[in-house]
Each structure stands twice: as C-alpha cells, then as structure tokens.
Amino acid sequence: MINKIVQSMGEAMAGMRDGATILLGGFGSVGQPNQLVDAVIETGARDLVVVANNSGGGHVGLALLMELGRVRRIICSFPRSSTSTVFEELYRAGKIELEIVPQGTLAERMRAAGAGVGAFYTPTSVGTKLAEGKETRVINGREMVLEHALHGDFALVEAWQADRWGNLTYRRSGRNFNPVMATAANVTIVQAQHIVELGTLDPEAIVTPGIFVDRVVHVPYGDPAI
Amino acid sequence: MINKIVQSMGEAMAGMRDGATILLGGFGSVGQPNQLVDAVIETGARDLVVVANNSGGGHVGLALLMELGRVRRIICSFPRSSTSTVFEELYRAGKIELEIVPQGTLAERMRAAGAGVGAFYTPTSVGTKLAEGKETRVINGREMVLEHALHGDFALVEAWQADRWGNLTYRRSGRNFNPVMATAANVTIVQAQHIVELGTLDPEAIVTPGIFVDRVVHVPYGDPAI
Amino acid sequence: MSAVAEARPWTRPQMAARLASDIPEGWYVNLGIGIPTLVADFVPTEREVIFHSENGVLGMGPAPAKADLDPWLINAGKQHVTLRTGGCFVHHADSFAMIRGGHLDLCVLGAFEVAENGDIANWATSENDTAPAVGGAMDLAAGAKRLWVVMEHSTKDGRSKLVRKCTYPLTAPRAVKRVYTNLAVLEVASEGFVVLDMAAGLSRDELRARTDAELIFPA
Amino acid sequence: MSAVAEARPWTRPQMAARLASDIPEGWYVNLGIGIPTLVADFVPTEREVIFHSENGVLGMGPAPAKADLDPWLINAGKQHVTLRTGGCFVHHADSFAMIRGGHLDLCVLGAFEVAENGDIANWATSENDTAPAVGGAMDLAAGAKRLWVVMEHSTKDGRSKLVRKCTYPLTAPRAVKRVYTNLAVLEVASEGFVVLDMAAGLSRDELRARTDAELIFPA
C-alpha cells in the first residue's frame, strides 16, 4: 500500500543536506510551510539556496533560517517588505547572495523544471537590467530573453488536504507557488492541514496529483495570522 | 453584465474566415467539439489550418471538413487510425499538407502560446527525423530541440459545464487538449453540455477560467459514442 | 509654480475615478499597489470588470468587512480581499500565463517615471539600488494588452515624472499606452504625449512648464 | 531454427507477467499500446502501481465490465478504462509535463527495433513512411525515468528485432534500459545487451543465433 504520510518531521526531512536548493512555497501570510522550515532548521543543514517569492519577514520561518546563517543564497522576486529586516541586514553585510527574478519568470522557470523544459524565451525583463548579459532573440517580431529551468533538491509545500497517495488541494490564495514548486524538486515535502482518506478528493479537483509528492506530514496549524 | 453565452452557431462562428488556424480539442471519441466543427463547415471558410491530435475519423467532424476540401494543412501527432481514410486519401493525393508533432510537444507548443512563451527547449524528438533542421542546444548536459509557440486564430473546445463568464469544467478524459487550446487562440469558442448559473462552479475546481473564453454555445449532445 | 496653484489638480481618488471611467465592462484588469488599487472602488458593481491578482486570484472583490475577513484570501499587495461570484483560484504559473500570454485587457501601475516613448521605470530608484524588489511588475508591464500608469505628475521635490528618457532602471521599454496624473490624462503616441484631458483651471503652458517631455494638444 | 523449436518461448501474457513482476509498488507507469497494455493485468491489485495515460488519466484502472462502461473515460489507446480510487484527471499539457519532467518511474513500449546502445525505433516503418503517426512515443521515450521495451524477439519473417543499429527511424536515441522478449530479458549496458533471463530450454548459442546484436552473459 502506498503511504506517503510520515509520522514525524524527522522522517519528512530525510536526506536534507548542506548545500541543498530548497523551493519554498507561500505568498504573503498564506500557504507558508513554516513548520517545515522549522524542521529544516532542526536538521542543521547549512549553505542552503532558497527559492521563494519573498525574503522572509519577522524572525520566523525563512527569516529565522537566514538569521541563523544557514542560507547562502536567495532567489526571489521581492526581497523587501516592512518586516524583512533580517534579510536586509545580512544583505548589506554581504552575508547572503541575492538573485532577483521577475515573479512570473520565477514561477515559469520552476514550471519548466517540473515539465522537463530546459529553457524558454519570455518577453518579461527584455530591455531591463535584469536581462543584462542574457541571451535574447526576436521571435515573431518580439524580442525575448532566454531563461532556464530552476530545479530544487527539495520543495516545501503547504496544502489544505492530502491523501496517502500525496494528492493535494489548496485553500484559496494558499495555492500560489505551492503546486508549481511541488513539480520542480527531486523531493517534495508537504505539510497538510487535513489528511483525508484516499477517494475523498474529487478526481476533477485535485490540484497536485500525488505523482509530484514524496512525503506528507500532518500539520493542522489553523488559519494564517491576519 | 458579462454574458459570453451565445444563442446561435452563427454568433459563435462570427469572424471565421478563409485561411484561419483552428485549434480543435478532443482526444479519441471524447471531448470532441463536433457541433462546432459542423458550424465551421456551415460558414464556408476554406484553406484552413487545423491543429488536432488526430486527423479525424469516419465522415464526420474534422474528417468531413477535410473531405469537403476545406483544410489546407493539418498539424497533429497521430494522423492514422482504422477510420482515418479521408485524411489518408487526401494525403496520398497530395491534397493536404501534414505536420507531425510529438503529442507532448504539440500540447506544450500551445501551452507556450497561451502563456506568452515564444519558444522552448525540449528533449522530445532529439536525434530523430522530427528534429531534423531544428536548432538544438545542450542544456544541463542534455541535448534539447527548440520548439516554437503554436497560436490559433480560433480554438474549438468541448466542455462539461460553463457559466456566463466562460468558466469551464470538463468531464473525465474529455479534458484532454481542450483547456490547453482554450488558452492559445485569439478567439476561443466553447460548446458546453451544461450552462450553469454564475457561482455554481467551485472556485477551487474551475479548470478553464473565463478569461480564456470568448463565446459559449449550449450543445447538450449527451454521451460520446462508444 | 504660482500659476499652477490656481489650477485644481485632481486628488488621488479623482485620478482613480477618472481612470475607472475608461474601463469598459468585461475587461480583465490587474491593478498595482498604491493609487492603482483605488481604481476598483470607482468601478460600479453593476459594470462587471474582472480583477486579477498575481497570486492566483481571478475575480477579486473589495476588501471584506472586518467580521467577514477570510485569512486565506489575500491579493498581491498582501491585503485581505474577497472573491466575487464567478471568480476562481489558480497557481502562480497559471496566473502569470494569463499575464504574459496577453490575456489581461489592462494593467494599471504606478511609476517613478514614464518616458514619451512609453518606457516605464517603477521598480528600482537607482542603478545602485542593491536589493530592489521587482515582484510582478516586469511581467505585467510586458504582458498585458494595455498598460496604463496612474501617478502624481511630479515628484515631491517638483521634478516631472513624465520625462523624455527614463533615468531610473526600466521596468519595460515602450510599454505604457496612457498616463493618468493629478494634472492630465495623456496618451503615448509616436511623437510624444498626447494630452487627452487636463485638470480644471490648468493652462496648456502651465502643463508644459510642469512636464519634462514633448506634449501634443489635439486640435 | 529447429534447435529453438525445443525451447519454450514465453507467450505474450507470460512476457507481460514477467515484466509486471519487476514493477515495485508505488511506481508511476505508462504502458504503450499492444503487449505493454497486458502488463497491467499481471500487477496484483494489492500491489499499488499507478498507471498513467497520456490523455490526462493518472491512476487508470482496468477495462470496465460492459454494464459499468463510462463513455467519458478512455485511455491513450482509445479503449474504455476505469479510474482507481485516488486517481485524477489533468489536461494534456500537464499530462506531458509528468512525462517530459521525468516523473514517470517507468514507461513500457513496444518496438520495431531496439539497438544495443539503447536506441529505439517504434513509430515509423521506413524513412519513406509518408504519414507516420508518432503520438506520444517520442515524449515517453525521452521523458520517463526508465524505458522498458516488451516485444517479440524476431519479426514474423525471422529477423532479429534486437539489432546493432536501428534501420527504422528512431523514436529516441539511447533510451531503452531493458528489453523483454519471448526469448529473453535483456538489460542495455555500455558493452551490449546483458542477458538477465532466458526462456526455458533455450541455449546461449541459440539465443545468439536469434539475435543480431552483442550479447553478454553474466558469470
């Protein structure tokens, strides 16, 4: 019997290692797999590359991981917010590397990784400093820039419902980057609010099919902070 | 009030013209917008380019359109079946052009068109005669071939449920190419088995958001032939 | 400057309302952070305009009453919002497929500068901005069918934000179609900014004096 | 040939069963048309193997009883199938993202020829085949983590389908990892085909005589 549900964060984190690239779901306060990030902290892994939309806020989750000096490089679209002080201090001190990627390009680079597409041409960022040094070509009369697939060693995902095959649903804007990242990593680890019996989820409404999921841990943390 | 539901096939076909590229949903007997193809026949448009997985069967739908001499070129992955005699005769007689595209590349080329990606690198077909003359490059140690976005002037789609905003669901394997093609055309025309009130469809389970849909016509034809 | 004092510049809500009046029913629209967000308030509910948010919300409705707040539903500006009947959720790759694929009829952004050729700069305040935050701005500017900018006509220290050539790092070249400021509504044309409308009491010369770019007044 | 007559070649169901016994629980598997389709019948239901079909069915179950046939549910071979509990539907682009993205543990295809370097030819019978039908074969051959071929060892007119170099147009180069024929099970290694198993009563020399490619017998 396939059973991707694991009983401990230790099992969920099996194989986590120094230098790993971690895709981290979530957007704003919603869909953040914070308990999985805490578990990454517990593993002691360092020299990490983190791919996320933001650069963390306050002193929890990603911000805490950075504060502990465990993140070598962050790849994100928006490293600035009223509470992203940890990142900003580290960055000014030259203690963390930053790669800025337009939000849609970030999503598409991971979608490409999940879909076996090596690289793609996009009009986004053409003529800007984010395209400097990148290959461009004119396609159908429009200049486009070449962007490469962005793979993860691990994806950390927050889901609403999960079954033992790893099928997932999300809740409203908690969906965000989570389903895309789930496809793009060697090992996809999910924290789910609800574990449901196989067959509970509507086959027409499963957002992430279990084929993309390796481990699921039950984390009924409730609603995101407002 | 937005209302994409149209009352006649004539309205649904507005703008259909000679030389148009038509993306035609369906796979096997399921999810085929046959009544929309009949309506295309009624318009008299000719010199058409049709993109579909197959090359039609029997003497209905796409096969009939071809038999009437209205299709200049077909772009498909599998132009052969026990009932695809119309295509085969036309093809042997040099009366129709054929572009063979691997099924996944066909889907991805339309997905790229819908997503504003101009072209992409895929490992599919590398080292085969379908990649002959195409640009290749090695990405991450793997040879890949460059494939371009495939746009349609019109997409013909078969859906299960539709509302007046054009939100769609599909039924089981009737989904197939339909949602992909819906994103890739200038004008997306849908035949839906069921028209439902706005708000009936679960926001978490809408497969094609109405943003991709231009016109919906109610065609309650029942089950596909077995 | 004193001449302008006699004019009655539009307030931010007025700028938003003016822009909103130009959005027809049925358009799919993405509104950026700042003044653009106000635009939604001025689209009457009976005129169905479908708002998109980068984080996968299509058919976004207004902010909820405190009691109805759904902690699971935010927009790209991280504000709590609602979903209109008929709206739906998609993931980030699908959301940006809508943007990049040209499916949005309109995107409204704020800007630091808009050049007379349509260049927009709205994401980084200098070439030396070490950790600028781009978010979805470049995708929206490059991807939407139309890009309209709503912004103050001048910076706080009085420099024109309408320029001959952007000095800040670009978000996208030749992307802006129309600009709504507190002083005027301008269309980007091949020869410069065409003035479509001006705040009451403002003269052509006054507008020229406040604008560091070519202005064209239709006959 | 007479020597082979003493051997007891596997039947098609036996070939499928032999292959099925090598599929562990939990694998995601795509089965091609022909003998590959038979493989599903030999995976016991208590061993959960998840079958994928190119047309967007993940978790495909066996053919339905006539009375339970669902006209809306077919597989890539256009046959009516069922959906197992836990299965789901996706569209074609997502379905091939699973394939191309390396998410399938195994794809099983038939073939016209397999070369000792792993080249597979299974879609066109000659360079002059004017309207060959490729379907999803190239995507599957290039995309799955493992490609196993199940096929007769020889053509009807007695030519080996295991070859030094394919003569038919390739489906994918260096893609095949293992071949199951009616005479043997062979692994593709850098030096040639390694024989893992042989039909009862068949000698190494007989297998060599029937095979137009390098064979390696492990010690």
Side-chain angles (χ1 to χ4, degrees):
Chain A
M1 198 179 86
I2 296 170
N3 189 7
K4 297 183 181 181
I5 319 281
V6 298
Q7 296 305 320
S8 72
M9 281 295 183
E11 280 177 81
M13 289 296 133
M16 185 58 65
R17 64 178 190 280
D18 292 356
T21 294
I22 299 177
L23 313 180
L24 182 55
F27 185 93
S29 54
V30 186
Q32 295 282 359
N34 280 327
Q35 285 72 13
L36 292 179
V37 177
D38 291 344
V40 172
I41 291 174
E42 285 296 311
T43 66
R46 53 180 58 247
D47 199 31
L48 300 170
V49 175
V50 173
V51 182
N53 188 63
N54 293 76
S55 59
H59 296 268
V60 297
L62 174 56
L64 179 56
L65 190 66
M66 289 188 294
E67 196 164 23
L68 294 170
R70 308 269 290 280
V71 180
R72 175 169 60 83
R73 179 181 179 80
I74 185 159
I75 302 174
C76 74
S77 88
F78 208 85
R80 183 181 291 163
S81 78
S82 56
T83 63
S84 60
T85 51
V86 167
F87 168 78
E88 282 166 30
E89 282 170 26
L90 287 168
Y91 188 71
R92 270 197 298 272
K95 289 183 174 165
I96 196 166
E97 299 166 22
L98 172 66
E99 179 180 347
I100 296 273
V101 183
Q103 196 170 139
T105 300
L106 188 66
E108 189 66 13
R109 287 179 62 192
M110 289 186 281
R111 193 269 170 193
V117 165
F120 59 92
Y121 288 95
T122 171
T124 300
S125 91
V126 165
T128 77
K129 72 177 194 178
L130 293 190
E132 277 170 20
K134 290 186 175 170
E135 194 177 325
T136 64
R137 79 164 68 192
V138 175
I139 296 173
N140 243 337
R142 182 136 199 223
E143 193 177 353
M144 300 211 179
V145 59
L146 183 66
E147 294 282 357
H148 284 78
L150 179 56
H151 293 267
D153 296 306
F154 296 89
L156 307 187
V157 163
E158 207 255 324
W160 181 244
Q161 294 168 300
D163 64 28
R164 66 178 175 82
W165 279 16
N167 293 309
L168 307 179
T169 65
Y170 303 89
R171 188 163 176 81
R172 308 204 179 116
S173 60
R175 193 181 295 204
N176 60 66
F177 278 94
N178 284 302
V180 185
M181 290 176 168
T183 69
N186 291 338
V187 178
T188 292
I189 309 169
V190 177
Q191 65 171 74
Q193 295 264 358
H194 301 282
I195 303 292
V196 300
E197 282 295 308
L198 198 70
T200 306
L201 303 179
D202 178 356
E204 306 278 9
I206 287 170
V207 177
T208 294
I211 190 171
F212 297 117
V213 171
D214 296 279
R215 304 169 198 155
V216 176
V217 56
H218 187 204
V219 181
Y221 75 77
D223 289 336
I226 290 170
Chain B
M1 199 179 87
I2 296 170
N3 188 7
K4 298 183 181 180
I5 318 281
V6 299
Q7 296 305 321
S8 73
M9 281 296 183
E11 281 177 82
M13 289 295 132
M16 184 59 64
R17 63 179 191 280
D18 293 356
T21 294
I22 299 176
L23 313 180
L24 182 55
F27 184 94
S29 54
V30 185
Q32 296 282 359
N34 280 327
Q35 285 72 13
L36 292 179
V37 176
D38 290 345
V40 172
I41 292 174
E42 286 296 310
T43 68
R46 54 181 56 246
D47 198 29
L48 300 170
V49 176
V50 174
V51 182
N53 188 63
N54 294 76
S55 59
H59 296 267
V60 296
L62 174 57
L64 179 56
L65 190 67
M66 289 188 295
E67 194 163 25
L68 294 169
R70 309 269 290 281
V71 180
R72 173 170 60 84
R73 178 182 181 79
I74 185 160
I75 301 175
C76 75
S77 88
F78 207 85
R80 183 181 290 163
S81 77
S82 55
T83 62
S84 60
T85 52
V86 168
F87 168 78
E88 281 166 29
E89 281 169 26
L90 286 168
Y91 188 72
R92 270 196 298 269
K95 290 180 176 168
I96 195 164
E97 299 166 23
L98 172 67
E99 178 180 347
I100 297 271
V101 182
Q103 195 170 141
T105 300
L106 188 66
E108 189 66 13
R109 287 179 62 192
M110 289 185 281
R111 192 266 169 195
V117 165
F120 59 92
Y121 288 95
T122 171
T124 299
S125 90
V126 165
T128 77
K129 71 178 194 177
L130 293 190
E132 276 170 20
K134 290 186 176 170
E135 194 177 325
T136 63
R137 79 163 69 192
V138 175
I139 296 173
N140 244 336
R142 182 135 198 225
E143 192 177 353
M144 300 211 178
V145 59
L146 183 66
E147 294 282 357
H148 284 77
L150 179 56
H151 294 266
D153 296 305
F154 297 90
L156 307 186
V157 162
E158 207 254 324
W160 182 243
Q161 294 167 300
D163 64 29
R164 66 179 175 83
W165 279 16
N167 293 310
L168 307 179
T169 66
Y170 303 89
R171 189 165 174 80
R172 306 202 182 118
S173 59
R175 192 179 298 205
N176 60 66
F177 278 95
N178 284 302
V180 186
M181 290 176 168
T183 69
N186 291 337
V187 180
T188 291
I189 310 169
V190 177
Q191 65 171 74
Q193 295 264 357
H194 303 281
I195 304 291
V196 299
E197 283 295 307
L198 198 69
T200 306
L201 303 179
D202 178 356
E204 305 278 11
I206 286 170
V207 177
T208 294
I211 191 170
F212 298 117
V213 171
D214 297 279
R215 305 169 197 154
V216 176
V217 57
H218 187 202
V219 180
Y221 75 76
D223 289 336
I226 290 170
Chain C
M1 295 288 206
S2 60
V4 174
E6 296 166 32
R8 294 193 299 282
W10 289 310
T11 62
R12 291 180 169 209
Q14 284 171 328
M15 292 157 66
R18 177 69 182 76
L19 192 156
S21 72
D22 291 335
I23 303 177
E25 179 160 87
W27 273 19
Y28 292 86
V29 178
N30 183 296
L31 301 175
I33 295 169
I35 314 180
T37 302
L38 299 179
V39 169
D41 297 340
F42 297 95
V43 176
T45 31
E46 65 273 17
R47 192 202 312 157
E48 288 188 334
V49 170
I50 299 180
F51 292 106
H52 170 269
S53 189
E54 297 95 294
N55 59 323
V57 185
L58 185 67
M60 185 169 54
K66 208 85 180 173
D68 301 329
L69 187 148
D70 180 345
W72 290 89
L73 184 42
I74 63 172
N75 65 11
K78 322 284 166 78
Q79 299 163 308
H80 288 95
V81 292
T82 50
L83 189 76
R84 285 186 67 161
T85 298
C88 66
F89 302 106
V90 299
H91 63 56
H92 249 84
D94 281 350
S95 179
F96 279 84
M98 293 176 187
I99 295 171
R100 199 188 310 102
H103 303 284
L104 294 178
D105 296 288
L106 172 65
C107 173
V108 183
L109 292 177
F112 301 136
E113 292 174 329
V114 176
E116 59 191 29
N117 67 350
D119 287 0
I120 174 174
N122 85 337
W123 71 290
T125 47
S126 90
E127 286 290 351
N128 302 321
D129 191 344
T130 46
V134 69
M138 287 186 181
D139 307 277
L140 286 161
K145 276 182 203 154
R146 294 169 191 82
L147 175 61
W148 294 353
V149 166
V150 56
M151 64 180 189
E152 301 292 336
H153 203 87
S154 312
T155 61
K156 278 170 191 154
D157 54 358
R159 281 182 303 113
S160 171
K161 297 174 75 173
L162 294 151
V163 294
R164 294 186 192 278
K165 190 170 182 320
C166 289
T167 57
Y168 291 146
L170 291 193
T171 306
R174 299 174 180 279
V176 180
K177 295 278 173 290
R178 207 180 271 186
V179 184
Y180 294 75
T181 77
N182 52 327
L183 300 183
V185 178
L186 312 101
E187 187 98 4
V188 177
S190 49
E191 328 81 56
F193 289 109
V194 176
V195 180
L196 302 183
D197 198 0
M198 285 198 296
L202 190 70
S203 74
R204 291 182 174 191
D205 283 347
E206 284 160 354
L207 188 64
R208 279 207 183 89
R210 300 289 298 247
T211 308
D212 183 24
E214 194 64 33
L215 292 184
I216 298 150
F217 294 90
Chain D
M1 294 288 208
S2 61
V4 175
E6 296 166 32
R8 294 192 299 281
W10 289 309
T11 63
R12 290 179 170 210
Q14 284 171 326
M15 292 156 67
R18 178 67 182 75
L19 192 156
S21 71
D22 291 335
I23 303 177
E25 180 161 85
W27 273 18
Y28 292 85
V29 178
N30 183 296
L31 301 175
I33 295 169
I35 314 179
T37 302
L38 300 179
V39 170
D41 298 339
F42 295 96
V43 176
T45 31
E46 66 275 15
R47 193 201 314 158
E48 289 188 334
V49 170
I50 299 180
F51 292 105
H52 169 271
S53 190
E54 296 94 295
N55 59 324
V57 185
L58 185 66
M60 185 170 52
K66 209 86 180 173
D68 302 328
L69 187 148
D70 179 345
W72 290 90
L73 184 42
I74 64 172
N75 65 11
K78 322 282 166 78
Q79 300 163 308
H80 288 96
V81 293
T82 50
L83 188 76
R84 284 187 68 162
T85 298
C88 66
F89 302 106
V90 297
H91 62 54
H92 250 84
D94 281 349
S95 179
F96 279 84
M98 292 176 189
I99 294 171
R100 198 188 310 102
H103 303 284
L104 294 177
D105 296 288
L106 172 66
C107 172
V108 184
L109 293 176
F112 300 137
E113 291 174 329
V114 176
E116 58 191 27
N117 68 348
D119 287 1
I120 175 174
N122 85 337
W123 72 290
T125 47
S126 89
E127 287 290 350
N128 303 320
D129 191 345
T130 47
V134 69
M138 286 185 182
D139 306 278
L140 285 161
K145 276 182 205 155
R146 296 169 190 82
L147 175 61
W148 293 354
V149 165
V150 55
M151 63 180 190
E152 301 291 336
H153 203 87
S154 311
T155 62
K156 279 170 190 154
D157 54 0
R159 281 182 303 113
S160 172
K161 297 174 75 172
L162 294 151
V163 295
R164 292 184 193 277
K165 191 170 182 318
C166 290
T167 58
Y168 291 145
L170 291 194
T171 306
R174 298 174 180 280
V176 179
K177 295 279 173 288
R178 208 180 268 186
V179 185
Y180 295 76
T181 78
N182 53 328
L183 299 183
V185 178
L186 311 102
E187 188 98 3
V188 176
S190 49
E191 329 81 54
F193 290 109
V194 176
V195 180
L196 301 182
D197 199 0
M198 285 198 295
L202 190 70
S203 74
R204 291 181 173 191
D205 283 348
E206 284 161 354
L207 187 63
R208 280 206 182 89
R210 302 287 298 245
T211 308
D212 184 23
E214 194 63 32
L215 291 184
I216 297 149
F217 293 91

